[in-house]
């Protein structure tokens, strides 16, 4: 934002002394709060800013901050995505009910507050089903259940019947990916499509899998027309306005269906992947969209780009790597950046995501070749821990 002429005030939990010199150089001001999801504290911080000068926008990029930010935005009359849009993005059953009302295909779903409600939904829709937090992000807290006993056990573990509420959904078979945009006044000016290999639920539950994500540079071909049309309709009917968006989708025997909608950038460093594949500074373009209502450059589509997660073979501390030198020798020209924690570094559980441990981000002019390289890396590189 600073680079395109905005006066930026940061609001965060860190003490000002913890901010590095580069970050400080970008900030016009800083407000420390006990928690950025504390609505009262965030409101007070914004009001302090407004007493000093006019505030045009209040932006956040983290899923868990979306609703609090929207509430404060409305209370302080700052433009941006509405509380209604934020609620739809965070509450999964509400989101899917809204999408179905607007003829946007998605899984059958419901909010469940009791074991009886869960069993009734299961008997009506059938197994397998997906159980997830109503306001979860990605695959966090998500469980597949295949029969009644497992469903009851899972609901009890999530405290359903003791005050908790969860989302229960039809399991959709098919290939999984996501559609991301940068939109201005409800119109996508940047569109990106990425594919998961394998699907997220499998990737986050099996240590032996080396999962990767590839962003295609073939998005302008006709095969993606239906997906782009659905995504554009979501942005329109949900009145998302000027924002980054992130939409998860499945394509399989039941056709194309949307799974999740977010009014935020994607996670796992995906904006860096898009920048690598398209010769753009996507962060600057996001700032241009918010500050000036326009972008300066368009995606080049020169490269397919992606990230591969390298899992340690067990939990503990990193002992070393096998195959890295071979991969560097064969494919070093395509590597954009990598994170290879040194020996002695503590591992993170695989459920923590694609960037929890070691990872490599790459780009290649050909999508199929990019996939093949990631497959070779998955077979070649071993992360040893103990």
């Amino acid at each position: 934002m600073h680079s395109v002429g905005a006066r930026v005030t940061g609001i965060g939990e860190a003490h000002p002394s913890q901010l590095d010199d580069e970050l400080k150089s970008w900030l016009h001001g800083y407000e420390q709060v006990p928690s950025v999801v504390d609505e009262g504290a965030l409101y007070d911080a914004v009001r302090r800013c407004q007493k000093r000068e006019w505030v045009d926008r209040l932006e956040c990029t983290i899923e868990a901050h979306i609703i609090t930010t929207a509430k404060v935005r409305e209370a302080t009359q700052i433009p941006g995505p509405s509380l209604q849009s934020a609620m739809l993005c965070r509450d999964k059953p509400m989101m899917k009910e809204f999408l179905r009302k607007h003829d946007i295909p998605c899984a059958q779903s419901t909010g469940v507050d009791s074991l009886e409600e869960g069993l009734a939904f299961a008997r009506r829709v059938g197994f397998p089903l997906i159980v997830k937090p109503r306001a979860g992000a990605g695959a966090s807290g998500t469980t597949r259940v295949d029969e009644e006993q497992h469903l009851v056990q899972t609901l009890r573990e999530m405290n359903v019947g003791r005050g908790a509420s969860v989302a229960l959904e039809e399991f959709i078979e098919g290939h999984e990916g996501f559609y991301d945009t940068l939109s201005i006044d409800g119109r996508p000016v940047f569109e990106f499509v990425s594919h998961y290999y394998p699907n997220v639920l499998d990737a986050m539950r099996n240590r032996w899998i080396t999962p990767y994500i590839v962003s295609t540079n073939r998005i302008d071909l006709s095969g993606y027309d239906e997906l782009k049309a659905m995504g554009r309709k979501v942005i329109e009917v949900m009145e998302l306005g000027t924002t980054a968006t992130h939409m998860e989708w499945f394509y399989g025997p039941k056709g194309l269906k949307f799974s999740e909608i977010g009014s935020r950038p994607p996670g796992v460093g995906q904006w860096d992947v898009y920048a690598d594949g398209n010769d753009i500074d996507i962060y600057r373009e996001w700032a241009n969209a918010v500050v000036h209502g326009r972008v300066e450059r368009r995606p080049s589509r020169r490269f397919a780009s992606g990230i591969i997660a390298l899992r340690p073979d067990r939990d503990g501390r990193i002992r070393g790597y096998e195959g890295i030198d071979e991969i560097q020798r064969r494919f070093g020209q395509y590597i954009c950046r990598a994170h290879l924690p040194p020996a002695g570094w503590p591992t993170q559980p695989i459920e923590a995501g694609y960037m929890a441990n070691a990872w490599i981000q790459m780009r290649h002019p050909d999508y199929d070749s990019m996939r093949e390289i990631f497959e070779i890396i998955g077979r070649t590189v071993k992360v040893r821990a103990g």
Side-chain angles (χ1 to χ4, degrees):
M1 299 295 178
H2 169 78
S3 68
V4 300
R7 289 158 65 95
V8 181
T9 294
I11 301 176
E13 298 165 8
H15 188 274
S17 64
Q18 295 176 274
L19 308 182
D20 63 46
D21 291 340
E22 184 179 32
L23 177 56
K24 288 178 182 177
S25 72
W26 298 335
L27 295 179
H28 170 66
Y30 181 75
E31 296 286 339
Q32 185 183 9
V33 294
S35 170
V36 290
V37 295
D38 181 329
E39 183 181 339
L42 182 60
Y43 174 84
D44 290 342
V46 172
R47 293 295 292 149
R48 289 194 295 272
C49 296
Q50 288 181 313
K51 287 179 181 179
R52 295 194 297 268
E53 59 189 339
W54 178 263
V55 177
D56 292 285
R57 298 283 297 197
L58 180 62
E59 296 290 320
C60 69
T61 60
I62 304 299
E63 182 85 14
H65 304 167
I66 296 291
I67 289 181
T68 304
T69 303
K71 287 180 177 180
V72 172
R73 191 185 289 126
E74 287 201 353
T76 54
Q77 298 183 314
I78 297 174
S82 69
L83 177 57
Q84 169 69 9
S85 296
M87 292 292 294
L88 289 173
C89 288
R90 289 291 283 151
D91 189 296
K92 309 310 181 188
M94 183 187 300
M95 171 198 300
K96 289 183 170 59
E97 181 181 356
F98 180 88
L99 294 178
R100 285 190 291 268
K101 285 181 178 178
H102 288 84
D103 298 320
I104 297 167
C106 58
Q108 299 180 70
S109 63
T110 189
V112 171
D113 301 304
S114 68
L115 300 180
E116 291 74 20
E117 289 176 344
L119 289 169
F121 180 83
R123 290 163 185 162
R124 183 173 77 253
V125 174
F127 290 97
L129 296 172
I130 295 294
V131 188
K132 62 174 69 175
R134 292 186 71 118
S140 178
T142 299
T143 302
R144 169 176 164 162
V145 295
D146 293 285
E147 43 85 24
E148 285 195 2
Q149 183 177 354
H150 189 197
L151 173 61
V152 170
Q153 176 187 345
T154 301
L155 293 178
R156 284 176 174 160
E157 289 173 352
M158 298 177 76
N159 293 316
V160 172
R162 296 191 296 273
S165 180
V166 300
L168 192 57
E169 298 179 2
E170 168 192 18
F171 176 80
I172 299 296
E173 179 185 355
H175 175 63
E176 184 179 7
F178 49 93
Y179 165 79
D180 292 334
T181 79
L182 178 62
S183 293
I184 299 175
D185 294 330
R187 180 179 60 86
V189 291
F190 290 171
E191 294 176 293
F192 307 100
V193 173
S194 297
H195 297 262
Y196 287 112
Y197 298 100
N199 288 358
V200 174
L201 202 56
D202 293 332
M204 293 299 103
R205 298 297 183 268
N206 297 288
R207 181 182 295 276
W208 61 269
I209 291 174
T210 303
Y212 59 91
I213 301 169
V214 182
S215 173
T216 182
N217 55 346
R218 300 172 180 171
I219 184 176
D220 296 323
L221 301 181
S222 60
Y224 292 100
D225 288 349
E226 181 185 6
L227 175 59
K228 290 188 290 186
M230 280 177 56
R232 292 166 186 171
K233 185 174 181 180
V234 168
I235 294 167
E236 177 186 355
V237 300
M238 290 181 65
E239 299 180 348
L240 295 180
T242 299
T243 185
T245 71
H246 175 66
M247 309 183 198
E248 304 267 347
W249 53 265
F250 287 88
Y251 185 80
K254 296 180 180 180
L256 178 64
K257 292 182 182 288
F258 273 155
S259 170
E260 307 288 347
I261 311 295
S263 58
R264 59 169 176 81
V268 298
Q270 201 63 24
W271 265 20
D272 293 328
V273 167
Y274 296 152
D276 292 335
N278 291 279
D279 304 298
I280 53 173
D281 182 342
I282 194 168
Y283 300 97
R284 180 182 174 88
E285 296 301 352
W286 174 56
N288 274 318
V290 171
V291 176
H292 301 299
R294 56 172 171 76
V295 292
E296 294 175 339
R297 301 182 62 180
R298 297 289 173 174
S300 68
R301 311 294 191 207
R302 278 210 305 150
F303 302 96
S305 51
I307 181 172
I308 184 166
L310 305 174
R311 266 81 174 273
D313 56 2
R314 68 199 68 198
D315 289 327
R317 292 183 178 275
I318 300 295
R319 293 171 52 201
Y321 299 86
E322 299 172 10
I324 290 294
D325 290 343
E326 178 183 347
I327 294 304
Q328 178 64 42
R329 177 178 55 80
R330 295 178 63 183
F331 306 119
Q333 63 182 311
Y334 306 121
I335 295 175
C336 302
R337 62 192 63 82
H339 175 66
L340 302 171
W345 195 269
T347 67
Q348 299 296 318
I350 62 170
E351 295 84 1
Y354 289 77
M355 302 185 85
N357 294 287
W359 50 263
I360 301 173
Q361 291 179 345
M362 306 181 74
R363 67 181 186 179
H364 192 282
D366 181 70
Y367 175 83
D368 294 318
S369 297
M370 184 74 270
R371 281 201 61 198
E372 179 58 26
I373 290 170
F374 278 147
E375 291 287 338
I376 293 170
I377 292 173
R379 295 191 298 266
T380 304
V381 175
K382 308 298 179 186
V383 185
R384 303 301 186 189

